[in-house]
């Protein structure tokens, strides 16, 4: 009966390689020898999935299930030595607590910014709670938010739209700010400098530098001014420009 259960759980190709073993113990040892070793590429893939895991448009329960599944797969691949000795320095307890805290931080990092207040509350706890306790607090906050949204449908529509925009544009905006600088005017100015490739420090304009700035070297005779004023500049001169208005 046990042999039948094991064989039915295997793929056809693997079954053919263990079909003639006589006992379930022999089959299990054979499979453990072949597939029980730590798989480096699979570990790498799981760690990458864990680092990229974010809540996005999912609810708390769906996001937690996704992260929990990766944790379980990692635990199945990594074999830990079970210590049976009596520890008097609490080293074992400290190690387990550090492992739990690491999982808690991983879980909180992937949450949307809408849960920032709850995340701050959890992180301020000393000692840090377990992942299960943090999950319970987040679920309660999510339920309260849903009740509030049902009572205020206009605010709910705004919050949903804003959350979708933040989720889709957060990574793009962060990359832009890291590449081109800060926000508002400074961000725009840095973007223009990077986008045009040239920037004049004299007139604060783009698409040329100080070597080709007409305000320094003089305007050409056929230059067409767009403003409603008569401007007289020495053509191709380094002299200072004189501006008169009617």
């Amino acid at each position: 009966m046990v042999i039948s259960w094991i064989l039915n759980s295997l793929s056809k190709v693997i079954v053919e390689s263990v079909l003639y073993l006589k006992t379930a113990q022999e089959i299990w040892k054979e499979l453990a020898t072949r597939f029980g070793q730590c798989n480096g590429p699979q570990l790498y893939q799981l760690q990458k999935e864990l680092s990229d895991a974010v809540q996005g448009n999912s609810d708390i329960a769906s996001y937690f299930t996704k992260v929990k599944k990766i944790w379980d797969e990692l635990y199945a691949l990594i074999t830990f030595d079970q210590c049976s000795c009596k520890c008097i320095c609490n080293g074992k307890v400290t190690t387990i607590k550090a492992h739990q805290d690491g999982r808690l931080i991983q879980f909180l990092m992937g949450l949307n910014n809408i849960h920032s207040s709850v995340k701050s509350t959890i992180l301020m706890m000393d000692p840090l709670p377990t992942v299960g306790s943090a999950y319970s607090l987040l679920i309660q906050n999510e339920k309260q938010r849903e009740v509030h949204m049902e009572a205020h449908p206009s605010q709910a529509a705004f919050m949903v739209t804003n959350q979708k925009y933040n989720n889709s544009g957060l990574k793009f905006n962060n990359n832009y700010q890291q590449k081109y600088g800060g926000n508002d005017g400074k961000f725009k100015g840095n973007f223009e400098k990077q986008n045009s490739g040239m920037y004049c420090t004299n007139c604060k304009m783009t698409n040329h530098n100080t070597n080709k700035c007409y305000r320094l070297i003089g305007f050409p005779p056929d230059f067409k001014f767009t403003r409603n004023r008569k401007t007289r500049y020495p053509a191709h001169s380094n002299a200072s420009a004189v501006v008169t208005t009617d």
Side-chain angles (χ1 to χ4, degrees), residues 28 39-42 45 51 57-58 60 67 73 79 83 90 112-113 127 130 151-152 179 193 230 234:
W28 190 259
N39 191 328
Q42 190 172 0
Q45 183 63 30
S51 62
N57 296 325
S58 305
I60 296 291
V67 175
E73 291 184 28
T79 57
C83 179
N90 293 328
N112 293 337
N113 291 334
T130 62
H152 304 81
K179 184 175 182 181
K193 297 176 191 178
K230 296 181 181 179

Side-chain angles (χ1 to χ4, degrees), residues 14-16 35 73 75-76 84-85 89 111 121 135 150 172 204 218 224 240:
I14 299 176
V15 167
E16 293 177 354
F35 304 105
E73 291 184 28
Y75 184 82
S84 59
C85 63
C89 66
L111 291 172
T121 301
Y135 171 79
E150 291 177 357
F172 173 79
K204 312 301 181 184
K224 295 181 180 180
S240 59

Side-chain angles (χ1 to χ4, degrees), residues 135-203:
Y135 171 79
S136 178
L137 291 174
L138 288 164
I139 285 293
Q140 293 178 19
N141 179 72
E142 187 178 58
K143 296 300 181 183
Q144 292 176 0
R145 191 179 299 275
E146 289 176 358
V147 172
H148 178 78
M149 291 173 120
E150 291 177 357
H152 304 81
S154 59
Q155 295 182 12
F158 173 78
M159 291 174 64
V160 171
T161 304
N162 188 45
Q163 180 176 352
K164 289 182 178 179
Y165 173 79
N166 290 335
N167 291 340
S168 62
L170 178 61
K171 184 176 180 181
F172 173 79
N173 291 334
N174 288 340
N175 292 339
Y176 241 47
Q177 292 179 11
Q178 290 176 2
K179 184 175 182 181
Y180 296 118
N183 297 322
D184 302 330
K186 183 179 179 181
F187 173 82
K188 181 178 179 182
N190 290 336
F191 169 75
E192 291 178 348
K193 297 176 191 178
Q194 296 289 342
N195 187 43
S196 64
M198 291 186 294
Y199 178 75
C200 179
T201 58
N202 177 57
C203 64

